[in-house]
Amino acid sequence: MDIEKIMIGLEKKHPGETEYLQAVHEVLESIEDVVNENPHFEAAGIVERIIEPDRVFTFKIPWIDDNGKVHVNIGYRVQFNNAIGPYKGGLRFHPSVNLSILKFLGFEQIFKNSLTTLPMGGGKGGSDFDPKGKSDTEIMRFCQSFMLELWHAIGPDTDVPAGDIGVGGKEIGYLYGTYKKLAREHTGVLTGKGINWGGSLIRPEATGFGTVYFAKEMLKTKGESLEGKLVAISGFGNVAWGAAQKATELGAKVVTISGPDGYIYDPDGISGDKIDFMLELRASNEDIVKPYSYEFPEAKFYQGKRPWEVKCDVALPCATQNELNKEDAASLVKNGVSFVAEGANMPCTPEAVEIFQENKILFGPGKAVNAGGVATSGLEMSQNSMKLNWPREEVDRRLHQIMIDIHDTCVKHGTDEDGYINYVKGANVAGFLKVANAMLDEGII
Ligand code: NDP
C-alpha cells in the first residue's frame, strides 16, 4: 500500500479538509502492515473504498429566534460506512462544525463502532448552530427545522444518530419529537433518548464511565490500579463529568476540569457535591469553570491555560479535538504522567501522541477509550428492538465488559516486540479487519 499516493489523491479530492486528512493518514499508517499482508484487500480496493464516505447530505436550516429574526445554518449528515450495521454516530451543534470535522469524526466512528463488538456502521452529522445562549424555544425551533430535512435520510435500520458536543438529552428530545411527528412511528431512530421514551439507563454517563473502565485496564497491564492516583481531566461536558465521577468512585483524585477559557486546579479533589454543583450550572446553561473557583475557595482558576501543566499520574482529555499539543505532552511527561486515555475524539495532536509513545507512556486513543458511549447507544438500540428496559446494573455490567473486551482486542493487535502496547495500532487494526472482511463478503458496491 502506497500511503503517500493515497493521501495525495485524497487531498486532491478534498482540499483543505485537514482534520479528515489527518484522521485518514493516522489510520493508514497503523493498518499498512495488515493491508500488505492481505493482498485480497488491495485487489478489492478496500482502502480506497473505506476512506470515502458512502454519501454526504448537506442542507439549509432556517429558523426564527425569539425576536422574530430569521437565521440560516447549515446541516450535515455523513453516512460513512454500513458494512457491519446501520450508520451510527452523533450529531454535533457547534459553530466550528464543517464537513472536514464531520468526515474525520464519521471515519473514526467506523472503527470505534467495529471495536464495540456490536453491529453498527459509521456516520456523523451536525450543524454550525451554536446552542450557547439560546433559549429553549429557540433550540426547539432549530431542532425541528434540522429534523425536517434529516428525517428522510435516517431510520432505525438505516442510520441512527445520537448526541455529541452541543446535543444532549434536551436536543435529542426535540429532534425525536419532530421525527415521530413526521414518520408517525415510535422507533429507536435516535439514541440518547429520555428514560421515559425509549432511552437507556447509564447512557448520559456511559462515555465517561467507559473511559475510566478502559484506563483501569491500562493501569492493570502495569500491575497498578486507580486507587490514590492523581487524574487531570479537561472539559466539563457529558464525557468529563462521567469520567470524574467514575474515577473518584474507583479511588482516584481528580484535580482538574476545564473550559475554553481556562482550567480549575482543586488539590482537594473534584468529587461528590462539587460535581453536583457543576451539573446544576450545566443544566441551566451557565458557565461552570469560573464559578467553581468562587464556590470552592481551595480551588484555583488558571485563565487561558490548559490543565496539562499539573502533576498527575493519569491524563484524560475529555473536551475537544487537538486540545493537547506537543508542548502539553512534554509537560505531562516531565510531570510524571504514566497513562493518557482520550475521552474526547482526537484531543491529542499527532505530535503529542508521538511524544507519549517515544516515552513509553501508555496512550489510549479515543476510538477505543471513548467507545463506551456508542456501545451503550448500541445497548439502547437493542433494548428498543426488544421493547424492554434493562436495569442500571445490567447496562453498567455490559458496558464494563465491552470496555474490557475492547482493551484486550487492542492489546492483542497492538503489542510490539518489546512488549509496549501500541493502543493506536491495536484499535485501528482490529477495527479495520472486521469492517474490511465484511466489505469483502458483501462485494464491490
Ligand atoms: P460537551 O459539549 O458536553 O462538553 C465539551 C466540554 O469541553 C465543555 O465543558 C466545553 O466547555 C469544553 N470545551 C470546549 N472547547 C474547549 C477547549 N478548547 N478547551 C477546553 N475545554 C473546552 O461535549 P461532550 O462531552 O459530549 O464531548 C466531548 C468530546 O468527547 C468530543 O470530542 C466528542 O466528540 C467526544 N465524545 C463524546 C461522546 C458522548 O457520548 N458525549 C461519545 C464519544 C466521544 P464549554 O461548555 O464552556 O464550551
Side-chain angles (χ1 to χ4, degrees):
M1 174 171 64
D2 186 341
I3 297 181
E4 287 324 303
K5 195 168 153 216
I6 294 172
M7 288 309 300
I8 289 168
L10 199 66
E11 207 165 343
K12 244 189 209 152
K13 282 192 253 179
H14 309 281
E17 297 194 355
T18 47
E19 294 87 355
Y20 166 50
L21 296 166
Q22 176 186 332
V24 171
H25 192 256
E26 182 219 281
V27 170
L28 294 188
E29 280 192 323
S30 302
I31 61 171
E32 188 174 12
D33 290 347
V34 87
V35 171
N36 290 337
E37 285 157 16
N38 290 278
H40 49 291
F41 287 158
E42 192 137 18
I46 296 290
V47 170
E48 287 76 5
R49 286 161 57 211
I50 210 170
I51 61 178
E52 278 290 345
D54 287 350
R55 66 194 68 80
V56 176
F57 299 96
T58 311
F59 44 92
K60 174 177 76 182
I61 314 160
W63 59 280
I64 302 172
D65 70 19
D66 291 344
N67 300 316
K69 188 171 178 321
V70 176
H71 299 262
V72 177
N73 287 93
I74 305 178
Y76 308 90
R77 185 70 184 164
V78 180
Q79 295 183 336
F80 224 113
N81 185 297
N82 66 350
I84 62 168
Y87 303 106
K88 175 96 197 92
L91 296 171
R92 178 177 290 192
F93 292 169
H94 192 269
S96 67
V97 162
N98 59 37
L99 206 45
S100 170
I101 289 183
L102 295 181
K103 277 158 74 177
F104 126 61
L105 292 165
F107 181 68
E108 292 278 296
Q109 198 82 43
I110 305 171
F111 307 101
K112 183 189 299 191
N113 292 1
S114 163
L115 284 171
T116 63
T117 69
L118 302 173
M120 299 182 289
K124 199 81 189 185
S127 170
D128 59 352
F129 171 75
D130 186 358
K132 255 205 191 135
K134 305 289 189 301
S135 70
D136 275 3
T137 49
E138 288 173 331
I139 291 176
M140 181 175 74
R141 284 195 292 273
F142 174 81
C143 289
Q144 289 171 339
S145 186
F146 183 87
M147 190 50 92
L148 271 176
E149 281 292 336
L150 185 69
W151 85 284
H152 296 289
I154 61 175
D157 295 315
T158 314
D159 182 353
V160 185
D164 188 67
I165 293 179
V167 180
K170 180 166 65 187
E171 290 78 13
I172 293 289
Y174 296 145
L175 292 164
Y176 190 70
T178 314
Y179 179 88
K180 196 167 59 66
K181 181 100 179 174
L182 293 162
R184 300 191 186 176
E185 51 183 34
H186 203 295
T187 63
V189 70
L190 291 163
T191 56
K193 298 187 290 298
I195 204 66
N196 294 326
W197 39 280
S200 174
L201 287 164
I202 305 270
R203 177 60 190 94
E205 53 274 63
T207 309
F209 278 20
T211 294
V212 175
Y213 288 147
F214 193 95
K216 180 173 149 238
E217 294 306 304
M218 291 169 77
L219 270 87
K220 226 194 241 175
T221 64
K222 298 273 181 204
E224 295 186 41
S225 80
L226 278 162
E227 191 65 49
K229 294 285 185 302
L230 292 180
V231 177
I233 292 183
S234 62
F236 194 78
N238 292 314
V239 181
W241 78 259
Q245 201 181 69
K246 185 53 77 178
T248 306
E249 209 178 293
L250 297 181
K253 190 198 265 188
V254 175
V255 287
T256 67
I257 50 130
S258 72
D261 52 344
Y263 78 92
I264 285 288
Y265 177 75
D266 185 341
D268 293 350
I270 299 169
S271 62
D273 290 352
K274 294 174 172 176
I275 294 181
D276 294 343
F277 168 76
M278 291 189 285
L279 288 177
E280 270 171 39
L281 291 179
R282 203 167 167 262
S284 48
N285 238 344
E286 288 176 55
D287 269 356
I288 294 171
V289 176
K290 256 191 218 160
Y292 183 102
S293 63
Y294 308 144
E295 184 77 10
F296 305 106
E298 65 276 20
K300 194 163 172 216
F301 176 66
Y302 291 86
Q303 177 88 36
K305 298 260 180 115
R306 302 198 266 214
W308 316 127
E309 57 188 22
V310 309
K311 188 171 161 37
C312 64
D313 306 296
V314 180
L316 304 177
C318 294
T320 190
Q321 66 269 3
N322 294 329
E323 53 152 319
L324 194 161
N325 62 23
K326 63 177 181 198
E327 286 80 25
D328 299 320
S331 146
L332 280 168
V333 172
K334 195 174 120 227
N335 281 322
V337 80
S338 300
F339 305 90
V340 181
E342 292 186 325
N345 284 317
M346 215 162 74
C348 301
T349 63
E351 298 78 24
V353 176
E354 228 174 278
I355 291 179
F356 293 136
Q357 292 178 335
E358 273 166 18
N359 285 278
K360 301 291 175 204
I361 307 292
L362 285 189
F363 169 78
K367 66 168 75 70
V369 174
N370 67 35
V374 73
T376 308
S377 284
L379 299 178
E380 182 174 330
M381 288 162 72
S382 305
Q383 293 171 77
N384 291 165
S385 297
M386 293 189 288
K387 305 219 180 307
L388 53 77
N389 296 317
W390 287 323
R392 194 179 168 82
E393 297 71 28
E394 174 71 9
V395 181
D396 196 22
R397 185 187 63 74
R398 286 176 186 263
L399 166 65
H400 196 166
Q401 189 56 51
I402 287 171
M403 296 317 297
I404 293 173
D405 292 346
I406 295 175
H407 177 270
D408 292 352
T409 305
C410 292
V411 172
K412 180 174 162 206
H413 291 279
T415 306
D416 291 343
E417 281 125 35
D418 62 359
Y420 175 70
I421 305 165
N422 183 336
Y423 286 95
V424 176
K425 183 174 169 206
N428 285 334
V429 169
F432 169 76
L433 279 174
K434 185 171 167 189
V435 178
N437 283 320
M439 288 169 75
L440 274 182
D441 293 346
E442 292 168 10
I444 298 169
I445 184 83

